[in-house]
Amino acid sequence: MELKTKILQRLRNAEAFLSGQQLSEEFHVSRTAIWKVMEQLKDEGYQIEAVRNKGYRLVNSPDVLSRAEIKSLLPPGWAQAEVVCYDETDSTNLRAKAAGEADGKPGTLFVAERQADGRGRRGRRWDSPGGESIYMSLLLRPKIAPDRASMLTLVMGLSVAQGIQDETGIACGMKWPNDVILAGKKVCGILTEMSTEIDYINYVVIGVGINVNQTDFPEEIADVATSLSLATGKTYRRSHLIAAVMRRFEENQAAFLLTEDLKGLKDAYNAILVNRDQDVKILEPGHSYEAHALEINDFGELLVTLPGGEEKAVRAGELSIRGGDTYV
Ligand code: BTN
């Protein structure tokens, strides 16, 4: 771990002042090296109080998405993982896929302040202005059968909803399969892409866009999109949210890998499924039909009853509300 990350972690967890001497002994570097890192952190916007004979104390952190900031907050399971941050990139999914094609390490997290070519599901754009929201993509190389991989999208969706709740106290819902919903509107979308062979996964990229402090949306999505800030009037620190989501993902992914299905997670997912017991329209490529949504099964399929009473498990598709004028 980089010295800056380690120092940031220590400052954050310290209950009192940390002396330069103590830090230099702990990390086996000179006091000048410690001082230099403190200066760098101050330049990046961290408010660090330095008191003679006492040492350093972190007073306030900026809402920056730097590698050191994110790494210093990630749960232990991601300690060895790479974090790659961009001020601007085309799309973090494209960056993660390029790493997947090369020798990118599984667990690498790509994060951008803004995206010039943010992508949504089904070829849509994902509006990605800078400084307010989260755009991140996780590269994984799971050793599971390719037909199990799409469930990882639901694992991430659930982790986002739970991470938001842990960090902010805001209760979100899930719109099947993987939109996170707040006050009837979409607050997070997930785009999973993968490269597989018949019986082998080369890589999976899970791209997550969370609307955090954004208060303006383009007209065409304004009635279906919301952000944490719009819903509560508060602002949130993005790095802490990323860490909270990754903490949940670490746990949930372990539960998923145990059975290679959603047996251990479906109750938590169904408990926040906003489509439960709703009449919905299922949109599949080329056609759509009406049904009554029940809940997801072990494989993340949506169980529905058709108008004739027959039960069906829907594998993939999108939902819209029958005759409704709200998003969910
Ligand atoms: C959706 O249409 O609901 C999925 C949106 C996914 C957006 C995220 S933002 C980070 C990552 N990079 C992209 O270009 N898209 C995903």
Side-chain angles (χ1 to χ4, degrees):
M1 210 188 272
E2 236 183 352
L3 181 62
K4 188 153 90 176
T5 310
K6 289 195 271 196
I7 291 185
L8 205 45
Q9 223 166 35
R10 281 294 273 119
L11 282 171
R12 203 170 262 126
N13 299 329
E15 303 200 332
F17 280 87
L18 286 175
S19 78
Q21 182 65 33
Q22 190 182 339
L23 289 170
S24 86
E25 278 166 19
E26 191 172 328
F27 299 130
H28 310 289
V29 296
S30 67
R31 289 187 62 167
T32 317
I34 301 288
W35 176 82
K36 275 193 186 148
V37 169
M38 295 297 174
E39 290 306 300
Q40 271 176 26
L41 288 171
K42 283 189 213 165
D43 284 346
E44 288 169 23
Y46 292 87
Q47 241 177 296
I48 294 169
E49 188 183 6
V51 177
R52 257 181 111 185
N53 299 327
K54 275 177 136 181
Y56 303 97
R57 188 173 73 97
L58 182 62
V59 179
N60 213 341
S61 313
D63 183 29
V64 288
L65 294 182
S66 67
R67 186 164 172 270
E69 168 74 10
I70 294 170
K71 281 205 85 163
S72 71
L73 291 162
L74 284 179
W78 300 95
Q80 303 310 319
E82 278 305 317
V83 175
V84 182
C85 293
Y86 304 92
D87 271 342
E88 173 166 338
T89 189
D90 42 8
S91 147
T92 53
N93 265 36
L94 288 177
R95 294 303 100 226
K97 284 197 289 181
E101 294 294 340
D103 55 359
K105 275 202 259 155
T108 306
L109 186 64
F110 297 82
V111 181
E113 277 286 351
R114 68 175 66 78
Q115 302 183 115
D117 186 17
R119 290 152 181 233
R121 292 174 73 205
R122 297 172 187 251
R124 297 183 196 120
R125 288 186 58 239
W126 185 260
D127 185 46
S128 309
E132 297 171 327
S133 290
I134 292 173
Y135 316 110
M136 65 178 190
S137 302
L138 180 62
L139 172 65
L140 298 174
R141 299 189 190 274
K143 293 190 174 36
I144 54 174
D147 65 347
R148 304 270 155 156
S150 66
M151 285 183 254
L152 279 166
T153 315
L154 281 79
V155 175
M156 181 56 92
L158 176 64
S159 308
V160 171
Q162 293 172 328
I164 290 175
Q165 166 107 51
D166 294 342
E167 182 57 29
T168 68
I170 301 170
C172 292
M174 294 301 310
K175 177 184 172 194
W176 184 83
N178 49 38
D179 287 352
V180 181
I181 302 299
L182 176 55
K185 295 182 174 183
K186 176 159 162 172
V187 71
C188 165
I190 298 174
L191 173 65
T192 296
E193 300 184 80
M194 51 188 162
S195 155
T196 61
E197 285 166 33
I198 287 196
D199 56 352
Y200 176 80
I201 295 179
N202 186 14
Y203 63 84
V204 177
V205 165
I206 310 179
V208 181
I210 309 177
N211 303 329
V212 182
N213 298 320
Q214 207 172 337
T215 48
D216 272 330
F217 288 97
E219 208 175 290
E220 60 284 8
I221 56 166
D223 51 347
V224 294
T226 191
S227 68
L228 299 180
S229 264
L230 266 184
T232 64
K234 296 187 190 157
T235 57
Y236 299 93
R237 200 157 292 159
R238 292 169 298 160
S239 55
H240 289 246
L241 271 164
I242 292 176
V245 170
M246 296 309 290
R247 210 168 292 134
R248 285 294 192 154
F249 185 79
E250 186 180 359
E251 276 169 34
N252 291 339
Q253 179 183 232
F256 166 71
L257 290 176
L258 216 55
T259 54
E260 294 192 11
D261 65 20
L262 300 176
K263 219 173 266 134
L265 299 171
K266 79 172 178 193
D267 288 351
Y269 184 101
N270 282 326
I272 58 170
L273 178 63
V274 294
N275 310 107
R276 213 175 172 149
D277 280 324
Q278 258 187 358
D279 290 331
V280 293
K281 195 189 238 176
I282 316 250
L283 313 175
E284 283 178 355
H287 79 299
S288 66
Y289 55 94
E290 294 182 346
H292 187 77
L294 302 171
E295 57 181 21
I296 65 159
N297 63 14
D298 288 351
F299 305 105
E301 297 163 335
L302 184 68
L303 298 174
V304 300
T305 42
L306 298 174
E310 185 195 337
E311 211 171 273
K312 177 179 169 161
V314 186
R315 282 212 73 167
E318 246 182 289
L319 297 185
S320 92
I321 284 305
R322 191 154 66 180
D325 55 3
T326 56
Y327 171 66
V328 289

